[in-house]
């Protein structure tokens, strides 16, 4: 593993992963990204002049384009972050998640098989398990019960990855991360949306009763988990990555408001998300057995994240004034009335 194709590397976790890897290793990283609404080249500005970094604009559904990037840059490993990642958008427009998350993952696997790559790592999610009742935690061999178009597409992608391992002997690994927070997180997701709305004294839209639980981890902890699996993971295996601590959405919203010194009256309960998963919770003992552990508590992760949004309005303000506005209107106008 020396020359990595990092698909979706201009997005939130992918860009954090690129910065993380360039700091630690002497690998060459080629970001392959279509630059959809969620992909931002400015997320990679700090890597631009690094001799170990190259950017290629391309779609993971385009097999010829993937193959030519692999051949041109002598890639030996693919790490697939590229995806349509927002559950609410997947409910509005399910075809996009099927196309990129299922067909795109297949095209990457096929390119890896045809060109004899040595590694394929798939970035997956705790959402493939579906919701889980307290006090249980999802383990890697639990059955998948995805309930949204997004989580179903990610589960489908995982099955194809595994099939390529079993059928063609491709060296694959998978990580299933919990919700990430940190820099460069597109403000359609709960934490950056709540933070940036609160900064502008706008309502914080809480779906349903706000008692849904998520395991919010700091993005570099997730990157470290991926790093550990890349270097020490077993072929054909999947690994959960998360803190193991769940927080209710309403408590998370209160903490953001407190960090910003804003009133709790900004909270507005709105119509729930269709099929809203109540709780995700991971058993992470398999990854911890490889020597990984989360470096941030939820409070530390949230504080660092909120601080980043306070310090970087030049990143998120232009986003919130573009395509985002139409999306926000479609998603929230009726909910909030
Ligand atoms: P993101 O939405 O911020 O970024 C996705 C990136 O993929 C963007 O740069 C986009 O341009 C690119 N992309 C989308 N469609 C593409 C296509 N057809 N071809 C090439 N590039 C394309 O997503 P993220 O939050 O950084 O998530 C990255 C990965 O991690 C995804 O696979 C997601 O399912 C997984 N994941 C995310 C979280 C989370 O909390 N954000 C948690 C667990 C797993
Ligand atoms: P999100 O960041 O979309 O991640 P995911 O649904 O993939 O876990 O949402 C996190 C939680 O916050 C989830 O339970 C849905 C909830 N949520 C709201 O209550 N209001 C919102 O406006 C958004 C975007 C999410």
């Amino acid at each position: 593993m020396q020359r990595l194709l990092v698909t979706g590397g201009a997005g939130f976790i992918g860009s954090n992963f690129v910065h993380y890897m360039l700091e630690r290793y002497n690998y060459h990283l080629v970001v392959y990204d279509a630059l959809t609404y969620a992909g931002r080249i400015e997320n990679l500005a700090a890597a631009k002049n690094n001799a170990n970094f190259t950017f290629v604009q391309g779609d993971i559904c385009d097999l010829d384009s993937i193959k030519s990037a692999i051949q041109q840059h002598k890639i030996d490993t693919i790490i697939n972050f590229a995806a349509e990642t927002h559950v609410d958008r997947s409910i509005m427009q399910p075809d996009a998640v099927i196309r990129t998350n299922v067909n795109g993952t297949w095209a990457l696997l096929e390119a890896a098989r045809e060109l004899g790559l040595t590694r394929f790592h798939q970035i997956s999610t705790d959402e493939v398990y579906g919701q889980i009742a307290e006090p249980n935690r999802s383990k890697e061999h639990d059955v998948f019960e995805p309930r949204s178009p997004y989580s179903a597409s990610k589960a489908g992608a995982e099955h194809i990855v595994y099939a390529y391992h079993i059928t063609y002997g491709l060296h694959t690994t998978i990580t299933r991360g919990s919700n990430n927070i940190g820099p460069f997180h597109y403000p359609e997701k709960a934490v950056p949306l709540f933070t940036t709305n609160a900064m502008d004294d706008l309502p914080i839209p809480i779906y349903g009763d706000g008692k849904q639980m998520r395991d919010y981890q700091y993005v570099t902890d997730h990157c470290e988990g991926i790093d550990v699996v890349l270097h020490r993971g077993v072929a054909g295996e999947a690994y959960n990555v998360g803190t193991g601590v769940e927080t209710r959405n309403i408590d998370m919203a209160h903490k953001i408001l407190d960090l910003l010194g804003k009133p709790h009256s900004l909270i507005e309960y709105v119509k729930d998300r269709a099929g809203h998963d109540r709780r995700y919770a991971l058993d992470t003992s398999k990854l911890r057995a490889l020597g990984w552990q989360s470096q941030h508590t939820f409070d530390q992760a949230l504080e660092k994240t909120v601080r980043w949004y306070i310090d970087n309005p030049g990143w998120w303000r232009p986003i919130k004034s573009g395509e985002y506005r139409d999306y926000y209107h479609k998603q929230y106008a009726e909910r909030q009335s």
Side-chain angles (χ1 to χ4, degrees):
M1 187 170 58
Q2 290 296 323
R3 301 186 63 85
L4 284 59
L5 192 74
V6 183
T7 65
F12 164 44
I13 308 174
S15 59
N16 277 285
F17 179 77
V18 167
H19 300 310
Y20 169 97
M21 291 295 279
L22 288 174
E23 255 177 41
R24 280 164 188 78
Y25 299 100
N26 191 23
Y27 299 152
H28 194 89
L29 269 60
V30 178
V31 167
Y32 181 94
D33 196 297
L35 297 181
T36 68
Y37 77 92
R40 328 250 355 142
I41 197 70
E42 59 269 31
N43 296 355
L44 296 165
K48 206 170 74 183
N49 297 322
N50 191 315
N52 274 336
F53 170 78
T54 309
F55 179 78
V56 174
Q57 185 164 1
D59 187 333
I60 62 162
C61 299
D62 182 343
L63 182 56
D64 289 340
S65 161
I66 301 163
K67 281 163 67 176
S68 92
I70 290 174
Q71 285 171 317
Q72 187 183 346
H73 298 286
K74 302 184 171 51
I75 297 297
D76 53 47
T77 298
I78 293 177
I79 306 175
N80 180 28
F81 289 90
E84 288 293 340
T85 60
H86 192 32
V87 173
D88 292 318
R89 289 194 196 238
S90 86
I91 293 168
M92 267 182 206
Q93 210 193 330
D95 52 333
V97 289
I98 304 302
R99 178 186 180 275
T100 288
N101 303 0
V102 180
N103 298 342
T105 301
W106 167 77
L108 291 168
L109 286 161
E110 183 55 20
R113 176 178 83 89
E114 286 182 29
L115 299 176
L117 265 56
T118 51
R119 284 297 305 271
F120 185 97
H121 183 79
Q122 173 74 357
I123 307 298
S124 191
T125 164
D126 58 1
E127 303 194 22
V128 296
Y129 297 115
Q131 60 183 8
I132 184 158
E134 286 183 77
N136 301 328
R137 299 182 167 278
S138 301
K139 291 199 170 68
E140 284 80 355
H141 285 291
D142 286 357
V143 288
F144 286 1
E145 295 185 67
R147 297 164 14 109
S148 73
Y150 166 69
S151 53
S153 70
K154 294 295 290 186
E158 277 210 36
H159 288 309
I160 308 170
V161 172
Y162 190 63
Y164 266 65
H165 170 66
I166 296 295
T167 310
Y168 304 112
L170 187 64
H171 186 305
T172 64
T173 42
I174 295 172
T175 41
R176 297 185 188 134
S178 67
N179 290 54
N180 284 220
I181 58 175
F184 305 126
H185 201 186
Y186 196 83
E188 66 190 353
K189 307 281 174 28
V191 168
L193 188 153
F194 294 179
T195 304
T196 54
N197 274 19
M199 285 170 71
D200 284 345
D201 299 304
L202 294 171
I204 307 292
I206 299 283
Y207 295 160
D209 65 4
K211 293 180 183 160
Q212 305 84 6
M213 296 168 93
R214 297 289 185 270
D215 170 346
Y216 294 98
Q217 66 176 321
Y218 198 65
V219 62
T220 50
D221 288 339
H222 185 198
C223 293
E224 228 172 295
I226 297 164
D227 174 6
V228 166
V229 172
L230 280 174
H231 291 96
R232 281 176 254 155
V234 174
E237 293 292 316
Y239 298 84
N240 291 338
V241 193
T243 65
V245 176
E246 305 93 55
T247 305
R248 299 188 315 172
N249 291 333
I250 187 64
D251 298 332
M252 177 265 283
H254 285 154
K255 283 190 178 199
I256 289 174
L257 290 167
D258 292 344
L259 284 166
L260 291 168
K262 297 286 183 177
H264 289 196
S265 56
L266 284 177
I267 285 175
E268 187 179 343
Y269 287 94
V270 302
K271 186 173 159 224
D272 206 353
R273 171 187 281 173
H276 196 168
D277 283 340
R278 195 76 185 156
R279 174 176 179 263
Y280 301 131
L282 292 174
D283 178 323
T284 59
S285 48
K286 186 171 172 184
L287 181 59
R288 281 185 283 112
L290 294 184
W292 174 88
Q293 68 177 44
S294 170
Q295 304 291 331
H296 297 82
T297 63
F298 171 65
D299 285 351
Q300 290 168 333
L302 193 67
E303 206 177 319
K304 265 173 115 164
T305 302
V306 170
R307 169 51 53 197
W308 190 84
Y309 284 86
I310 293 170
D311 292 343
N312 290 277
W315 183 85
W316 60 267
R317 283 205 181 279
I319 293 175
K320 286 193 101 168
S321 60
E323 176 271 355
Y324 183 87
R325 261 197 203 163
D326 298 338
Y327 162 74
Y328 197 87
H329 184 75
K330 256 199 238 158
Q331 176 64 13
Y332 295 99
E334 276 183 25
R335 281 197 147 73
Q336 286 180 317
S337 58

